[in-house]
């Protein structure tokens, strides 16, 4: 049994949760932020997910490689309550788990360290903020973020997909260019290697538009550059390849030549540890 509000039979001791109640998995920077305001049950990795209160959101604030275990250990009656906050391309993965209709969110915010105020994704191009959510618990997440002074836009699933791909393009492009050019931050990557960033964003946008049959709103490069200005000091590293850059790498050299070539260059220079 956990010391954070779960009884010995694995259920929450309260049968009628407080308004706005959320279960949060992951005690890192994002999870701790989400649990810092409003009624919450904070679970660390390996803690049992309670079977109640059903119908309230379970916000998963962990790395992608923890998802298998969390989904497997989640009581069947709570699987629909799982809310996925991870970066990367999750659609195929969630589909294989039967969770394709679950709530997802793109968190355009940065938390530099535990206990530090979050930097919201409010930019000169998007003063309404870039963070968005879709699904049954999207409004609840918006309320939780709002209580922390952070913006969140509730969108349809059709509106969510191009936004998800745009964030995937941002994190895959700026981290890759920054790593290849050994930049200290995404801001440096964007300011010192503007043409390279623009060329990769252009090719990835075109490639995914063709692959997924989606239409991006005009101004993708302007939106991503403006967000980079907001989180300018964020460090560069190509991580979680199978969730991020691999999606574009697998589209092939014909449609992603600059991106794929730069990945191979990083591998040759031993700037990345994983195999392509």
């Amino acid at each position: 049994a956990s010391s954070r509000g779960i009884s010995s039979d694995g259920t929450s001791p309260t049968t009628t949760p407080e308004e706005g109640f959320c279960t949060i998995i992951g005690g890192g920077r994002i999870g701790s932020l989400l649990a810092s305001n409003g009624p919450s049950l904070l679970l660390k990795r390996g803690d049992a997910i309670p079977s109640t209160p059903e119908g309230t959101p379970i916000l998963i604030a962990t790395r992608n490689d923890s998802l298998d275990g969390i989904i497997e250990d989640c009581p069947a009656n709570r699987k629909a309550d799982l809310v996925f906050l991870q970066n990367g391309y999750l659609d195929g993965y969630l589909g294989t788990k039967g969770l394709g209709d679950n709530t997802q969110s793109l968190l355009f915010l940065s938390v530099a360290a535990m206990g530090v105020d979050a930097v919201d994704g409010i930019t000169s191009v998007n003063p309404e903020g870039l963070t968005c959510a879709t699904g049954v618990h999207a409004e609840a997440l918006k309320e939780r973020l709002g209580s922390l002074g952070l913006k969140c836009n509730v969108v349809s699933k059709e509106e969510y997909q191009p936004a998800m791909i745009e964030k995937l393009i941002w994190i895959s492009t700026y981290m890759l260019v920054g790593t290849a050019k050994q930049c200290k931050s995404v801001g440096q990557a964007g300011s010192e290697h503007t043409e390279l960033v623009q060329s990769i964003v252009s090719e990835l946008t075109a490639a995914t538009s063709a692959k997924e049959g989606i239409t991006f709103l005009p101004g993708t490069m302007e939106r991503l550059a403006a967000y980079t200005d907001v989180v300018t000091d964020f460090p560069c590293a190509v991580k979680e390849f199978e969730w991020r850059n691999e999606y574009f790498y697998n589209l092939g050299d014909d449609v992603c030549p600059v991106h794929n070539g730069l990945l191979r260059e990083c591998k040759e220079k031993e700037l990345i540890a994983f195999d392509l």
Side-chain angles (χ1 to χ4, degrees), residues 96-190:
T96 64
K97 300 292 185 180
L99 302 175
D101 291 328
N102 275 54
T103 303
Q104 294 185 57
S105 178
L106 303 170
L107 296 180
F108 278 90
L109 54 87
S110 174
V111 183
M114 291 281 284
V116 173
D117 287 344
V119 176
D120 203 352
I122 299 171
T123 74
S124 57
V125 176
N126 293 93
E128 76 281 9
L130 286 165
T131 292
C132 64
T134 187
V136 65
H137 290 309
E139 286 287 352
L141 178 62
K142 177 180 179 177
E143 290 180 13
R144 176 56 59 104
L145 290 170
S147 74
L148 295 163
L150 301 169
K151 303 273 193 182
C152 180
N153 302 289
V154 175
V155 299
S156 68
K157 194 169 185 178
E158 291 71 28
E159 293 169 314
Y160 185 82
Q161 190 180 33
M164 179 268 291
I165 295 290
E166 274 198 9
K167 189 175 189 195
L168 183 64
I169 289 172
W170 179 82
I171 203 166
S172 298
T173 299
Y174 281 87
M175 298 298 171
L176 175 58
V177 170
T179 298
K181 302 304 180 181
Q182 300 185 54
C183 299
K184 292 182 179 180
S185 66
V186 294
Q188 184 184 0

Side-chain angles (χ1 to χ4, degrees), residues 242-258:
E242 65 273 25
W243 298 96
R244 301 180 185 181
N245 294 76
E246 186 178 47
Y247 171 82
F248 303 112
Y249 190 74
N250 286 343
L251 293 180
D253 291 352
D254 288 346
V255 293
C256 300
V258 182

Side-chain angles (χ1 to χ4, degrees), residues 12-19 21 53 56:
S12 171
T14 55
T15 55
T16 54
E18 295 178 70
E19 186 174 349
F21 178 84
T56 62

Side-chain angles (χ1 to χ4, degrees), residues 199-216:
S199 67
I200 294 177
V201 168
S202 295
E203 76 176 18
L204 299 189
T205 303
T208 51
S209 182
K211 170 72 164 57
E212 304 291 344
I214 58 176
T215 301
F216 294 92

Side-chain angles (χ1 to χ4, degrees), residues 17 28-29 45 62-63 81 87 96 131 172 182 194 197 220 233:
R29 290 173 294 176
R45 189 185 305 201
T62 68
R63 289 173 60 92
D81 291 329
N87 284 314
T96 64
T131 292
S172 298
Q182 300 185 54
T194 307
V197 166
T220 293
D233 294 328

